[in-house]
Amino acid sequence: MTELSGSGNRHRALVYSGAIAGIAIAVILAYVFGAFSESRGAIKADDMCQNLPDRRAAADTFKSVLPQAAQYDFVMTSTPDPDESYSGTCSAIGDDSQHLLNLHADMGVAMSWEQWAEQELPPTTGKVTYFSAGIKGVSTSDLAAIYVPCYSSETNTKQPHNLTIFAHALKSLKGSDSEVRQELIRLAESFGRYAHREAKCDLPSRLPD
């Protein structure tokens, strides 16, 4: 009887050990595959900045590229006067008030695109390439910027003025380098078309439709 009891205890111990090991493996796998990761916040068209011309399309783009956050906020700032002071931004903000991506439009006295690229753009990383939009489009791994014609003779200064437009990723976005570049370019072009209309520019934007 003693041997049978000991065998039963050992059997139960093995069963319990196996069950515990199974639970531990399940927990580890669940963690690896994201079961316990923080849920991703909702990104809705109604939450987008008012200065995005197609808020539904913008929401879809942000869903595809923004890094995961439990909550997203979209904050607009605007000085919409159609003159030399014109500016506008739309910022995508994640957890802990971290800026994830900024869309920016700003008016300035016209200069050569080379001066513009050197003086007016934020610090960036990655290989610089160029694309056809506005006077010049500049693309890197975290930035798409476009120099857009605006005023032939701005009302106050009587000087020609152009718009600086950019989409700038401040945190790594989802996707390959080429995918991220294309999404940033699309955002910059869309934002640029809106800014060009709002600023009441008298020169063609030279942006793709």
Side-chain angles (χ1 to χ4, degrees):
M1 293 294 292
T2 302
E3 285 187 10
L4 288 174
S5 177
S7 297
N9 288 337
R10 283 195 297 274
H11 178 70
R12 283 192 295 272
L14 289 172
V15 170
Y16 295 151
S17 297
I20 292 170
I23 292 170
I25 291 171
V27 169
I28 292 169
L29 290 174
Y31 179 82
V32 169
F33 290 103
F36 299 122
S37 62
E38 196 170 25
S39 61
R40 182 179 175 88
I43 298 176
K44 302 176 183 178
D46 289 345
D47 298 331
M48 296 293 100
C49 301
Q50 295 289 337
N51 55 358
L52 295 176
D54 188 339
R55 298 168 75 193
R56 186 177 298 278
D60 289 341
T61 299
F62 285 133
K63 286 177 189 176
S64 69
V65 301
L66 288 182
Q68 180 164 315
Q71 180 177 335
Y72 298 96
D73 291 310
F74 298 90
V75 178
M76 180 184 81
T77 63
S78 180
T79 305
D81 298 327
D83 57 27
E84 61 179 331
S85 67
Y86 176 87
S87 67
T89 64
C90 177
S91 299
I93 300 173
D95 299 334
D96 301 319
S97 299
Q98 289 189 334
H99 282 240
L100 306 176
L101 193 152
N102 286 339
L103 301 177
H104 176 84
D106 189 55
M107 192 70 68
V109 177
M111 61 184 74
S112 71
W113 75 261
E114 292 90 350
Q115 286 179 296
W116 164 79
E118 181 178 348
Q119 297 176 18
E120 301 298 323
L121 302 187
T124 185
T125 59
K127 179 182 178 182
V128 176
T129 59
Y130 302 97
F131 59 96
S132 180
I135 297 168
K136 197 71 172 181
V138 177
S139 172
T140 70
S141 58
D142 61 2
L143 178 75
I146 310 173
Y147 201 33
V148 177
C150 187
Y151 301 131
S152 55
S153 177
E154 191 273 327
T155 303
N156 299 319
T157 65
K158 309 305 180 185
Q159 292 180 288
H161 276 59
N162 295 332
L163 284 164
T164 293
I165 308 292
F166 61 72
H168 186 204
L170 301 170
K171 297 292 180 182
S172 296
L173 303 183
K174 297 190 300 181
S176 66
D177 180 81
S178 62
E179 290 169 339
V180 167
R181 285 175 186 252
Q182 286 305 309
E183 294 296 350
L184 290 174
I185 289 171
R186 278 193 280 269
L187 285 169
E189 289 176 345
S190 178
F191 199 64
R193 285 190 288 269
Y194 178 89
H196 189 267
R197 289 194 301 271
E198 187 178 54
K200 294 181 170 54
C201 298
D202 58 51
L203 293 172
S205 71
R206 295 161 61 178
L207 292 168
D209 296 329

